[in-house]
Every structure is written in C-alpha cells, then in structure tokens.
Coordinates of all heavy atoms in Angstrom, one line a residue:
M257 N -8.6 26.5 -19.0 CA -7.9 25.3 -19.6 C -7.7 24.3 -18.5 O -7.1 24.6 -17.4 CB -6.6 25.8 -20.2 CG -5.7 24.7 -20.7 SD -4.1 25.3 -21.2 CE -4.3 25.0 -22.9
P258 N -8.1 23.0 -18.7 CA -7.8 22.0 -17.7 C -6.4 21.7 -17.6 O -5.6 21.7 -18.5 CB -8.6 20.8 -18.2 CG -8.8 21.1 -19.7 CD -8.8 22.5 -19.9
Q259 N -5.9 21.4 -16.3 CA -4.6 21.0 -16.1 C -4.4 19.6 -16.4 O -5.3 18.8 -16.1 CB -4.2 21.3 -14.6 CG -4.0 22.8 -14.3 CD -3.5 22.9 -12.9 OE1 -4.0 22.2 -11.9 NE2 -2.5 23.8 -12.7
L260 N -3.2 19.3 -16.9 CA -2.9 17.9 -17.2 C -2.6 17.2 -15.8 O -1.9 17.7 -15.0 CB -1.7 17.7 -18.1 CG -2.0 18.1 -19.6 CD1 -0.7 18.0 -20.4 CD2 -3.0 17.2 -20.2
L261 N -3.1 16.0 -15.7 CA -2.9 15.2 -14.5 C -1.6 14.5 -14.6 O -1.4 13.8 -15.6 CB -4.0 14.3 -14.2 CG -3.9 13.4 -13.0 CD1 -3.9 14.2 -11.7 CD2 -5.0 12.4 -12.9
T262 N -0.6 14.7 -13.7 CA 0.6 13.9 -13.7 C 0.5 12.9 -12.6 O -0.2 13.0 -11.6 CB 1.8 14.8 -13.5 OG1 1.7 15.5 -12.2 CG2 2.0 15.8 -14.6
H263 N 1.3 11.8 -12.8 CA 1.3 10.7 -11.9 C 2.7 10.4 -11.4 O 3.6 10.6 -12.2 CB 0.8 9.4 -12.6 CG -0.6 9.5 -13.1 ND1 -1.7 9.1 -12.5 CD2 -1.1 10.1 -14.3 CE1 -2.8 9.4 -13.2 NE2 -2.5 10.0 -14.3
P264 N 2.8 10.0 -10.2 CA 4.2 9.5 -9.7 C 4.6 8.4 -10.6 O 3.8 7.6 -11.1 CB 3.9 9.1 -8.3 CG 2.6 9.6 -7.9 CD 1.8 9.8 -9.1
E265 N 5.9 8.2 -10.7 CA 6.5 7.1 -11.6 C 6.0 5.7 -11.1 O 6.0 4.8 -11.9 CB 8.0 7.2 -11.7 CG 8.7 6.9 -10.4 CD 10.2 7.0 -10.6 OE1 10.7 7.9 -11.4 OE2 10.9 6.3 -10.0
W266 N 5.7 5.6 -9.8 CA 5.3 4.3 -9.3 C 3.8 4.0 -9.5 O 3.3 2.9 -9.2 CB 5.7 4.1 -7.8 CG 5.3 5.3 -7.0 CD1 6.1 6.3 -6.6 CD2 4.0 5.6 -6.5 NE1 5.4 7.2 -5.8 CE2 4.1 6.8 -5.7 CE3 2.8 5.0 -6.5 CZ2 3.0 7.4 -5.1 CZ3 1.7 5.6 -5.9 CH2 1.8 6.8 -5.2
C267 N 3.1 5.0 -10.0 CA 1.6 4.9 -10.1 C 1.3 3.9 -11.2 O 1.8 3.9 -12.3 CB 1.0 6.2 -10.4 SG -0.8 6.2 -10.3
D268 N 0.3 3.0 -10.8 CA -0.1 1.9 -11.8 C -1.4 2.5 -12.4 O -2.4 2.6 -11.7 CB -0.4 0.6 -11.0 CG -0.9 -0.5 -12.0 OD1 -1.3 -0.2 -13.1 OD2 -0.8 -1.6 -11.5
P269 N -1.5 2.7 -13.7 CA -2.7 3.3 -14.3 C -3.9 2.4 -14.1 O -5.1 2.9 -14.0 CB -2.4 3.3 -15.8 CG -0.9 3.3 -15.9 CD -0.4 2.6 -14.7
A270 N -3.7 1.1 -13.9 CA -4.9 0.2 -13.7 C -5.4 0.3 -12.3 O -6.6 0.0 -12.0 CB -4.5 -1.3 -13.9
E271 N -4.6 0.8 -11.3 CA -5.0 1.0 -9.9 C -5.3 2.4 -9.5 O -5.9 2.7 -8.5 CB -3.9 0.4 -9.0 CG -3.7 -1.1 -9.2 CD -4.8 -1.9 -8.8 OE1 -5.5 -1.6 -7.8 OE2 -5.1 -3.0 -9.4
C272 N -4.8 3.4 -10.4 CA -4.9 4.8 -10.0 C -6.4 5.2 -9.9 O -7.2 4.9 -10.7 CB -4.2 5.6 -11.1 SG -4.2 7.4 -10.7
D273 N -6.6 6.0 -8.8 CA -8.0 6.6 -8.6 C -7.8 8.1 -8.4 O -8.6 8.7 -7.6 CB -8.6 5.9 -7.4 CG -10.1 6.3 -7.2 OD1 -10.9 6.1 -8.1 OD2 -10.4 6.9 -6.2
A274 N -6.9 8.7 -9.1 CA -6.6 10.1 -8.9 C -7.8 11.0 -9.2 O -8.0 12.0 -8.6 CB -5.4 10.5 -9.8
V275 N -8.6 10.6 -10.1 CA -9.8 11.4 -10.5 C -11.1 10.8 -10.0 O -12.2 11.2 -10.3 CB -9.9 11.7 -12.0 CG1 -8.7 12.6 -12.4 CG2 -9.9 10.4 -12.8
G276 N -11.0 9.7 -9.2 CA -12.1 9.0 -8.7 C -12.5 9.5 -7.3 O -11.9 10.5 -6.7
P277 N -13.4 8.7 -6.6 CA -13.9 9.1 -5.3 C -12.8 9.1 -4.2 O -12.9 9.8 -3.2 CB -15.0 8.1 -5.0 CG -14.7 7.0 -5.9 CD -14.0 7.5 -7.1
F278 N -11.7 8.3 -4.4 CA -10.7 8.2 -3.3 C -9.6 9.3 -3.5 O -8.8 9.5 -2.6 CB -10.1 6.8 -3.2 CG -11.2 5.8 -2.8 CD1 -11.7 5.0 -3.7 CD2 -11.6 5.7 -1.5 CE1 -12.7 4.0 -3.3 CE2 -12.5 4.8 -1.1 CZ -13.1 4.0 -2.0
A279 N -9.5 9.8 -4.7 CA -8.5 10.8 -5.1 C -7.1 10.4 -4.7 O -6.4 11.1 -3.9 CB -8.8 12.2 -4.5
Q280 N -6.7 9.2 -5.1 CA -5.4 8.7 -4.7 C -4.7 8.1 -5.9 O -5.3 7.3 -6.7 CB -5.5 7.6 -3.6 CG -6.0 8.1 -2.3 CD -6.0 6.9 -1.3 OE1 -6.4 5.8 -1.6 NE2 -5.6 7.2 -0.1
H281 N -3.4 8.4 -6.0 CA -2.5 7.6 -6.9 C -2.2 6.3 -6.2 O -2.0 6.3 -4.9 CB -1.2 8.3 -7.2 CG -1.4 9.6 -7.9 ND1 -1.7 9.7 -9.2 CD2 -1.4 10.9 -7.5 CE1 -1.8 11.0 -9.6 NE2 -1.6 11.7 -8.5
R282 N -2.2 5.2 -6.9 CA -1.9 3.9 -6.3 C -0.9 3.1 -7.1 O -1.1 3.0 -8.4 CB -3.2 3.1 -6.2 CG -4.2 3.7 -5.2 CD -5.5 2.9 -5.2 NE -6.4 3.3 -4.2 CZ -7.7 3.1 -4.3 NH1 -8.2 2.5 -5.3 NH2 -8.5 3.5 -3.3
G283 N 0.0 2.5 -6.5 CA 1.0 1.7 -7.2 C 0.5 0.2 -7.3 O -0.6 -0.1 -6.7
R284 N 1.2 -0.6 -8.0 CA 0.9 -2.0 -8.1 C 1.0 -2.7 -6.7 O 2.0 -2.5 -6.0 CB 1.9 -2.7 -9.1 CG 1.7 -4.2 -9.3 CD 2.7 -4.8 -10.2 NE 4.0 -4.7 -9.8 CZ 4.6 -5.5 -9.0 NH1 4.0 -6.5 -8.4 NH2 5.9 -5.3 -8.6
A285 N 0.0 -3.4 -6.4 CA 0.0 -4.1 -5.1 C 0.8 -5.4 -5.2 O 0.8 -6.1 -6.1 CB -1.5 -4.5 -4.7
R286 N 1.6 -5.5 -4.1 CA 2.4 -6.8 -3.9 C 1.5 -7.6 -3.0 O 1.1 -7.1 -1.9 CB 3.7 -6.5 -3.2 CG 4.8 -6.1 -4.2 CD 4.6 -4.7 -4.7 NE 5.8 -4.2 -5.4 CZ 5.9 -3.1 -6.0 NH1 4.8 -2.3 -6.2 NH2 7.0 -2.7 -6.6
R287 N 1.2 -8.8 -3.4 CA 0.3 -9.6 -2.6 C 1.0 -10.8 -2.0 O 1.8 -11.5 -2.6 CB -0.9 -10.1 -3.5 CG -1.6 -9.0 -4.1 CD -2.9 -9.4 -4.9 NE -3.5 -8.3 -5.6 CZ -4.2 -7.4 -5.0 NH1 -4.5 -7.5 -3.7 NH2 -4.7 -6.3 -5.6
I288 N 0.7 -11.0 -0.7 CA 1.3 -12.1 0.1 C 0.2 -12.8 0.7 O -0.7 -12.2 1.3 CB 2.2 -11.5 1.1 CG1 3.3 -10.6 0.5 CG2 2.9 -12.6 2.0 CD1 3.9 -9.6 1.5
G289 N 0.2 -14.1 0.7 CA -0.8 -14.9 1.4 C -0.6 -16.3 1.5 O 0.0 -16.9 0.5
G290 N -1.0 -16.9 2.6 CA -0.8 -18.4 2.7 C -2.0 -19.1 2.2 O -3.1 -18.6 2.0
P291 N -1.9 -20.4 1.9 CA -2.9 -21.2 1.3 C -3.9 -21.8 2.3 O -5.0 -22.3 1.9 CB -2.2 -22.3 0.6 CG -1.0 -22.5 1.5 CD -0.6 -21.1 2.0
R292 N -3.6 -21.7 3.6 CA -4.5 -22.4 4.5 C -5.7 -21.6 5.0 O -5.6 -20.3 5.0 CB -3.7 -22.8 5.8 CG -2.6 -23.8 5.5 CD -1.7 -23.9 6.7 NE -1.2 -22.6 7.0 CZ -0.3 -22.4 8.0 NH1 0.2 -23.4 8.7 NH2 0.2 -21.2 8.2
P293 N -6.8 -22.2 5.3 CA -8.0 -21.4 5.8 C -7.5 -20.7 7.1 O -6.8 -21.2 7.9 CB -9.0 -22.5 6.2 CG -8.6 -23.6 5.3 CD -7.1 -23.6 5.2
G294 N -7.9 -19.4 7.2 CA -7.5 -18.6 8.3 C -6.2 -17.8 8.1 O -5.9 -17.0 8.9
D295 N -5.5 -18.2 7.0 CA -4.2 -17.4 6.8 C -4.6 -15.9 6.5 O -5.7 -15.6 5.9 CB -3.5 -18.0 5.6 CG -2.7 -19.2 5.9 OD1 -2.6 -19.5 7.1 OD2 -2.3 -19.9 5.0
V296 N -3.6 -15.1 6.8 CA -3.8 -13.7 6.4 C -3.3 -13.4 5.1 O -2.2 -13.9 4.7 CB -3.1 -12.8 7.5 CG1 -3.1 -11.3 7.1 CG2 -3.7 -13.0 8.9
H297 N -4.0 -12.6 4.3 CA -3.5 -12.2 3.0 C -3.2 -10.7 3.1 O -4.0 -9.9 3.7 CB -4.6 -12.4 1.9 CG -4.7 -13.9 1.5 ND1 -4.8 -14.3 0.2 CD2 -4.7 -15.0 2.3 CE1 -4.9 -15.6 0.2 NE2 -4.9 -16.0 1.4
I298 N -2.1 -10.3 2.6 CA -1.6 -8.9 2.7 C -1.4 -8.4 1.3 O -0.8 -9.0 0.4 CB -0.3 -8.9 3.4 CG1 -0.4 -9.5 4.8 CG2 0.3 -7.4 3.5 CD1 0.9 -9.7 5.5
A299 N -1.9 -7.2 1.1 CA -1.7 -6.4 -0.1 C -0.9 -5.1 0.3 O -1.4 -4.4 1.2 CB -2.9 -6.1 -0.9
A300 N 0.2 -4.9 -0.3 CA 1.0 -3.7 0.1 C 1.3 -2.9 -1.2 O 1.7 -3.5 -2.2 CB 2.3 -4.1 0.7
R301 N 1.1 -1.6 -1.1 CA 1.4 -0.7 -2.3 C 1.6 0.7 -1.8 O 1.2 1.1 -0.7 CB 0.2 -0.8 -3.3 CG -1.0 -0.2 -2.8 CD -2.1 -0.2 -3.9 NE -3.4 0.0 -3.3 CZ -4.5 -0.3 -3.9 NH1 -4.5 -0.9 -5.1 NH2 -5.7 -0.1 -3.4
L302 N 2.2 1.5 -2.7 CA 2.4 2.9 -2.5 C 1.2 3.7 -2.8 O 0.4 3.3 -3.8 CB 3.6 3.4 -3.3 CG 5.0 2.9 -2.9 CD1 6.0 3.5 -3.9 CD2 5.3 3.1 -1.5
T303 N 0.9 4.7 -2.1 CA -0.3 5.6 -2.4 C 0.0 7.0 -1.9 O 0.8 7.2 -1.0 CB -1.5 5.0 -1.7 OG1 -2.7 5.8 -2.1 CG2 -1.4 5.0 -0.2
C304 N -0.6 7.9 -2.6 CA -0.6 9.3 -2.1 C -1.9 10.0 -2.7 O -2.4 9.6 -3.7 CB 0.7 10.1 -2.5 SG 0.8 10.5 -4.3
T305 N -2.3 11.1 -2.0 CA -3.4 11.8 -2.4 C -3.2 12.5 -3.7 O -2.1 13.1 -3.9 CB -4.0 12.7 -1.3 OG1 -5.1 13.4 -1.8 CG2 -2.9 13.7 -0.9
S306 N -4.1 12.6 -4.6 CA -4.0 13.3 -5.8 C -4.4 14.8 -5.7 O -4.2 15.6 -6.6 CB -4.8 12.7 -7.0 OG -6.2 12.6 -6.6
D307 N -4.9 15.2 -4.5 CA -5.2 16.6 -4.2 C -4.0 17.4 -3.9 O -4.0 18.6 -4.0 CB -6.2 16.7 -3.0 CG -7.5 16.1 -3.3 OD1 -7.9 16.0 -4.5 OD2 -8.2 15.6 -2.4
D308 N -2.9 16.8 -3.5 CA -1.6 17.5 -3.2 C -0.7 17.5 -4.4 O -0.7 16.5 -5.2 CB -0.9 16.8 -2.0 CG -1.6 16.9 -0.7 OD1 -2.4 17.9 -0.5 OD2 -1.5 16.0 0.1
P309 N 0.0 18.6 -4.6 CA 0.9 18.6 -5.8 C 2.1 17.6 -5.7 O 2.5 17.4 -4.6 CB 1.4 20.1 -5.8 CG 1.3 20.5 -4.4 CD 0.1 19.8 -3.8
L310 N 2.5 17.1 -6.8 CA 3.7 16.2 -6.9 C 4.9 17.1 -7.0 O 4.8 18.2 -7.7 CB 3.5 15.3 -8.0 CG 2.4 14.3 -7.9 CD1 2.3 13.5 -9.2 CD2 2.5 13.4 -6.7
P311 N 6.0 16.8 -6.5 CA 6.3 15.6 -5.8 C 6.2 15.7 -4.3 O 6.6 14.8 -3.5 CB 7.8 15.3 -6.2 CG 8.4 16.6 -6.3 CD 7.3 17.5 -6.8
E312 N 5.6 16.8 -3.8 CA 5.5 17.1 -2.4 C 4.5 16.2 -1.7 O 4.6 16.1 -0.5 CB 5.2 18.6 -2.1 CG 6.3 19.5 -2.5 CD 6.2 19.9 -4.0 OE1 5.2 19.5 -4.6 OE2 7.1 20.6 -4.5
A313 N 3.6 15.7 -2.4 CA 2.5 14.9 -1.7 C 3.1 13.7 -0.9 O 4.0 13.0 -1.5 CB 1.6 14.3 -2.8
P314 N 2.8 13.6 0.4 CA 3.4 12.5 1.2 C 2.9 11.2 0.6 O 1.8 10.9 0.3 CB 2.8 12.8 2.6 CG 2.3 14.2 2.5 CD 1.9 14.5 1.1
V315 N 3.9 10.3 0.5 CA 3.6 8.9 0.0 C 3.6 8.0 1.2 O 4.4 8.1 2.1 CB 4.8 8.5 -1.0 CG1 4.5 7.1 -1.5 CG2 4.9 9.5 -2.1
S316 N 2.6 7.1 1.2 CA 2.4 6.1 2.2 C 2.5 4.7 1.6 O 2.2 4.5 0.5 CB 1.1 6.3 2.9 OG 0.9 7.5 3.5
V317 N 2.8 3.8 2.5 CA 2.6 2.4 2.2 C 1.2 2.0 2.7 O 1.0 2.2 3.9 CB 3.7 1.5 2.8 CG1 3.4 0.0 2.6 CG2 5.1 1.8 2.2
E318 N 0.4 1.5 1.8 CA -0.9 1.0 2.2 C -0.8 -0.5 2.4 O -0.5 -1.2 1.5 CB -2.0 1.4 1.2 CG -3.4 0.9 1.6 CD -4.4 1.1 0.4 OE1 -4.2 0.4 -0.6 OE2 -5.3 1.8 0.6
L319 N -1.2 -0.9 3.6 CA -1.3 -2.4 3.9 C -2.7 -2.7 4.1 O -3.4 -2.1 4.8 CB -0.5 -2.7 5.2 CG 1.0 -2.7 5.2 CD1 1.5 -3.1 6.6 CD2 1.6 -3.6 4.1
V320 N -3.2 -3.7 3.3 CA -4.6 -4.2 3.5 C -4.4 -5.7 4.0 O -3.8 -6.5 3.3 CB -5.4 -4.1 2.2 CG1 -6.8 -4.7 2.4 CG2 -5.5 -2.7 1.8
L321 N -5.0 -5.9 5.1 CA -4.9 -7.3 5.7 C -6.3 -7.9 5.6 O -7.3 -7.3 6.1 CB -4.4 -7.2 7.2 CG -3.2 -6.4 7.4 CD1 -2.8 -6.4 8.9 CD2 -2.0 -7.0 6.7
T322 N -6.3 -9.1 5.1 CA -7.6 -9.8 5.0 C -7.4 -11.3 5.5 O -6.4 -11.9 5.1 CB -8.0 -9.9 3.5 OG1 -8.1 -8.6 3.0 CG2 -9.4 -10.5 3.4
R323 N -8.3 -11.7 6.3 CA -8.2 -13.1 6.7 C -9.2 -13.9 5.8 O -10.3 -13.4 5.6 CB -8.7 -13.2 8.2 CG -7.7 -12.6 9.1 CD -8.0 -12.9 10.5 NE -7.7 -14.4 10.7 CZ -7.2 -14.9 11.8 NH1 -7.0 -14.2 12.8 NH2 -7.0 -16.2 11.8
T324 N -8.7 -15.0 5.4 CA -9.5 -15.8 4.4 C -10.8 -16.2 5.0 O -11.8 -16.4 4.2 CB -8.7 -17.0 4.0 OG1 -8.3 -17.8 5.1 CG2 -7.5 -16.6 3.2
E325 N -11.0 -16.4 6.3 CA -12.2 -16.8 6.9 C -13.1 -15.7 7.2 O -14.3 -15.9 7.6 CB -12.0 -17.7 8.1 CG -11.3 -19.0 7.7 CD -11.1 -19.9 8.9 OE1 -11.0 -19.4 10.1 OE2 -10.9 -21.1 8.7
H326 N -12.6 -14.4 7.2 CA -13.4 -13.3 7.5 C -13.3 -12.3 6.4 O -12.2 -11.8 6.1 CB -13.0 -12.7 8.8 CG -12.9 -13.7 10.0 ND1 -14.1 -14.1 10.6 CD2 -11.9 -14.3 10.5 CE1 -13.8 -15.0 11.5 NE2 -12.4 -15.2 11.5
P327 N -14.4 -11.9 5.8 CA -14.3 -11.1 4.6 C -13.9 -9.6 4.9 O -13.6 -8.9 4.0 CB -15.7 -11.1 4.0 CG -16.6 -11.5 5.1 CD -15.8 -12.3 6.1
A328 N -14.0 -9.2 6.1 CA -13.6 -7.8 6.4 C -12.1 -7.5 6.2 O -11.3 -8.3 6.6 CB -14.1 -7.4 7.8
D329 N -11.8 -6.4 5.6 CA -10.4 -6.0 5.4 C -10.1 -5.0 6.5 O -10.9 -4.3 7.0 CB -10.3 -5.3 4.1 CG -10.5 -6.2 2.9 OD1 -10.3 -7.4 3.1 OD2 -10.7 -5.7 1.8
A330 N -8.8 -4.9 6.8 CA -8.3 -3.9 7.7 C -7.2 -3.2 6.9 O -6.2 -3.8 6.4 CB -7.7 -4.5 9.0
A331 N -7.3 -1.9 6.7 CA -6.4 -1.1 5.9 C -5.6 -0.1 6.7 O -6.2 0.5 7.6 CB -7.1 -0.4 4.7
Y332 N -4.3 -0.1 6.5 CA -3.5 0.8 7.3 C -2.6 1.6 6.4 O -2.0 1.1 5.4 CB -2.6 0.0 8.3 CG -3.4 -0.9 9.2 CD1 -3.6 -2.2 8.8 CD2 -3.9 -0.4 10.4 CE1 -4.4 -3.0 9.6 CE2 -4.6 -1.2 11.2 CZ -4.9 -2.5 10.8 OH -5.6 -3.4 11.6
L333 N -2.4 2.9 6.6 CA -1.4 3.7 5.9 C -0.2 4.0 6.8 O -0.3 4.4 7.9 CB -2.0 5.1 5.5 CG -3.2 5.0 4.5 CD1 -3.7 6.4 4.2 CD2 -2.7 4.4 3.2
L334 N 1.0 3.6 6.3 CA 2.2 3.7 7.0 C 3.0 4.8 6.3 O 3.3 4.8 5.1 CB 3.0 2.4 7.0 CG 2.2 1.1 7.4 CD1 3.2 -0.1 7.3 CD2 1.7 1.3 8.8
D335 N 3.5 5.8 7.1 CA 4.4 6.8 6.6 C 5.8 6.2 6.4 O 6.0 5.0 6.8 CB 4.4 8.1 7.4 CG 5.0 7.9 8.8 OD1 5.6 6.8 9.1 OD2 4.8 8.8 9.6
R336 N 6.7 6.9 5.8 CA 8.0 6.4 5.5 C 8.7 5.9 6.8 O 9.3 4.8 6.8 CB 8.9 7.4 4.8 CG 10.2 7.0 4.4 CD 11.0 8.0 3.6 NE 12.3 7.6 3.3 CZ 12.7 6.8 2.3 NH1 11.7 6.3 1.6 NH2 13.9 6.5 2.1
S337 N 8.6 6.6 7.9 CA 9.3 6.2 9.1 C 8.7 4.9 9.6 O 9.5 4.0 10.0 CB 9.2 7.3 10.1 OG 9.8 6.9 11.4
T338 N 7.4 4.8 9.7 CA 6.8 3.6 10.2 C 7.1 2.4 9.3 O 7.4 1.3 9.8 CB 5.3 3.8 10.3 OG1 5.0 5.0 11.2 CG2 4.6 2.6 11.0
A339 N 7.0 2.6 8.0 CA 7.3 1.5 7.1 C 8.8 1.0 7.3 O 9.1 -0.2 7.3 CB 7.1 1.9 5.6
H340 N 9.7 2.0 7.5 CA 11.1 1.7 7.7 C 11.2 0.8 9.0 O 12.0 -0.2 9.0 CB 11.9 2.9 7.8 CG 13.4 2.7 8.1 ND1 14.3 2.2 7.2 CD2 14.1 2.8 9.3 CE1 15.4 2.1 7.7 NE2 15.4 2.4 9.0
H341 N 10.6 1.2 10.1 CA 10.7 0.5 11.3 C 10.0 -0.9 11.2 O 10.5 -1.8 11.8 CB 10.0 1.3 12.5 CG 10.9 2.5 12.9 ND1 10.7 3.8 12.5 CD2 12.0 2.5 13.7 CE1 11.6 4.5 13.0 NE2 12.4 3.8 13.7
L342 N 8.9 -1.0 10.5 CA 8.3 -2.3 10.3 C 9.3 -3.2 9.5 O 9.5 -4.4 9.8 CB 7.0 -2.2 9.5 CG 6.3 -3.5 9.1 CD1 6.0 -4.3 10.4 CD2 5.1 -3.2 8.3
H343 N 9.9 -2.7 8.5 CA 10.9 -3.4 7.7 C 12.0 -3.9 8.6 O 12.4 -5.1 8.5 CB 11.4 -2.6 6.6 CG 12.4 -3.2 5.7 ND1 13.8 -3.1 5.9 CD2 12.3 -4.1 4.7 CE1 14.4 -3.8 5.0 NE2 13.5 -4.4 4.2
A344 N 12.5 -3.0 9.4 CA 13.6 -3.4 10.3 C 13.2 -4.5 11.4 O 13.9 -5.4 11.6 CB 14.1 -2.2 11.1
A345 N 11.9 -4.3 11.9 CA 11.4 -5.3 12.9 C 11.3 -6.7 12.2 O 11.7 -7.7 12.8 CB 10.1 -4.8 13.4
L346 N 10.8 -6.7 11.0 CA 10.6 -8.0 10.4 C 12.0 -8.6 10.1 O 12.2 -9.8 10.1 CB 9.8 -7.8 9.1 CG 8.3 -7.5 9.3 CD1 7.6 -7.2 7.9 CD2 7.6 -8.6 10.0
G347 N 13.0 -7.7 9.7 CA 14.3 -8.2 9.5 C 14.9 -8.8 10.7 O 15.7 -9.7 10.6
E348 N 14.6 -8.3 11.9 CA 15.1 -8.8 13.2 C 14.4 -10.2 13.5 O 15.0 -11.1 14.0 CB 14.9 -7.9 14.3 CG 15.7 -6.6 14.3 CD 15.4 -5.7 15.4 OE1 14.7 -6.1 16.4 OE2 15.8 -4.5 15.3
L349 N 13.1 -10.2 13.2 CA 12.3 -11.4 13.6 C 12.5 -12.6 12.7 O 12.5 -13.7 13.1 CB 10.8 -11.0 13.7 CG 10.4 -10.0 14.7 CD1 9.0 -9.6 14.5 CD2 10.7 -10.5 16.1
L350 N 12.6 -12.3 11.4 CA 12.6 -13.4 10.4 C 13.7 -14.4 10.7 O 13.5 -15.6 10.6 CB 12.7 -12.8 9.0 CG 12.5 -13.8 7.9 CD1 11.1 -14.4 8.0 CD2 12.6 -13.0 6.5
P351 N 15.0 -14.0 11.0 CA 16.0 -15.0 11.2 C 15.7 -16.0 12.3 O 16.3 -17.1 12.3 CB 17.3 -14.2 11.5 CG 17.0 -12.9 10.8 CD 15.5 -12.7 11.0
A352 N 14.9 -15.6 13.3 CA 14.6 -16.5 14.4 C 13.5 -17.5 14.1 O 13.3 -18.4 14.9 CB 14.2 -15.7 15.6
M353 N 12.8 -17.3 13.0 CA 11.8 -18.3 12.6 C 12.4 -19.5 11.9 O 13.3 -19.4 11.2 CB 10.8 -17.6 11.6 CG 10.1 -16.4 12.2 SD 9.0 -15.6 11.0 CE 7.6 -16.9 10.9
T354 N 11.8 -20.6 12.3 CA 12.2 -21.9 11.6 C 11.4 -22.1 10.4 O 10.2 -21.6 10.3 CB 12.1 -23.1 12.5 OG1 10.7 -23.1 13.0 CG2 13.0 -22.9 13.7
A355 N 11.9 -22.8 9.4 CA 11.2 -23.0 8.1 C 9.9 -23.8 8.3 O 9.7 -24.5 9.2 CB 12.1 -23.6 7.1
Ligands
ZN66 ZN1 -2.0 8.0 -10.7

C-alpha cells in the first residue's frame, strides 16, 4: 500500500518537487530585485528534502541570486542559525544606508 505524501504547512503545491528529481518540498518564493541592468535578483524560500520524515526533516532557507546581466544563478542553502545571523547582520547594516 503506497504511503500518503504529507507536506509541511509552508509547502507551495505549485513549487513542490517532493516526488520529482530534486525530492524537495518548496515554499513560495519571495522575490526581491532592482530594476537597473546589473542589479541582483534574489529569490528566497523554505525548502527541505522529501526523503526525510516530517517534521524532523531539516528546513533550510534557499537563496537564489541572479544578476540581470549574467544568466547564471548562484543558489545557497542556509540553515536556521545562518539565516538568523544573516537577518541580524542585515538589521545592523540597513539603518546605516541612506535612501
Ligand atoms: Zn511539498
């Protein structure tokens, strides 16, 4: 009897690849990007492998960075600690930036 596949509550059915070649649950991507040529576009979303049982499967923040002038993507998986430190670092840096 086949097991029913369960998804984390944050999993987006349109993005989920739990039974696909990447075997990953994927959340809705938050997209950030500037309008100028050369600006970096960032997609951030939650992801975890569908090979590990829920809810123990480690969840990562997936960041995909794309430069508008260069089609190659750079993808990074951040664990909870690294994502927390990135959030804190951006919180420290942002107030020093001028509009
Ligand atoms: Zn899923």
Side-chain angles (χ1 to χ4, degrees):
M257 172 185 249
Q259 287 187 317
L260 289 176
L261 180 64
T262 58
H263 300 265
E265 66 181 35
W266 48 259
C267 187
D268 180 345
E271 299 291 327
C272 182
D273 189 58
V275 294
F278 296 103
Q280 289 183 324
H281 297 285
R282 294 175 172 157
R284 178 179 61 83
R286 279 70 168 174
R287 299 185 187 283
I288 305 159
R292 298 170 301 187
D295 282 349
V296 174
H297 287 224
I298 301 169
R301 65 178 165 201
L302 295 178
T303 184
C304 74
T305 178
S306 58
D307 292 334
D308 294 330
L310 298 173
E312 294 84 9
V315 179
S316 298
V317 172
E318 180 188 62
L319 289 181
V320 178
L321 309 178
T322 306
R323 293 192 68 147
T324 55
E325 292 181 339
H326 305 285
D329 293 339
Y332 305 92
L333 292 178
L334 309 179
D335 64 14
R336 183 175 175 80
S337 175
T338 303
H340 177 76
H341 285 98
L342 176 61
H343 180 263
L346 291 174
E348 289 177 18
L349 296 171
L350 191 58
M353 296 178 74
T354 56

